[in-house]
Amino acid sequence: MAGGWARDGAVQDQIDDTIADAVKRARADMPSGRAAPYCIECGDEIPEARRRALPGTRTCVTCQSERDSDRRSSGINRRGSKDSQLR
């Protein structure tokens, strides 16, 4: 599938690397331990249902949503653009 100067299987390697990075990021972000009663970002109370559902959570839903949207916009583009080749 790969062409030009790329070796055979290079496209699959890129896909595998992207998936492996996403899994590592998700595992690192998984909360553990005892949940905080108040958000570390804004200080609002974290609802009991969220603390039970996500042991170790440290942020409220609003602050976590902002963190997640910031994280999605950054990262490495492995889709073959010249920018990703220069990194």
Side-chain angles (χ1 to χ4, degrees):
M1 181 164 180
W5 297 99
R7 63 176 179 71
D8 289 340
V11 172
Q12 186 61 48
D13 289 345
Q14 288 177 339
I15 293 168
D16 293 343
D17 288 343
T18 300
I19 292 170
D21 288 348
V23 169
K24 285 179 192 173
R25 188 177 316 116
R27 285 184 177 155
D29 290 344
M30 287 178 66
S32 62
R34 193 171 163 174
Y38 298 96
C39 178
I40 61 171
E41 298 286 327
C42 67
D44 287 350
E45 185 176 359
I46 299 173
E48 179 65 29
R50 177 170 172 77
R51 289 184 287 176
R52 277 193 311 246
L54 294 169
T57 191
R58 303 275 188 252
T59 55
C60 65
V61 173
T62 304
C63 291
Q64 187 62 48
S65 295
E66 289 176 13
R67 284 178 154 192
D68 291 345
S69 68
D70 289 345
R71 187 170 295 130
R72 266 185 251 129
S73 63
S74 64
I76 298 172
N77 176 4
R78 290 197 175 101
R79 291 196 170 97
S81 71
K82 294 201 180 221
D83 289 342
S84 67
Q85 294 171 12
L86 297 174
R87 290 184 187 178

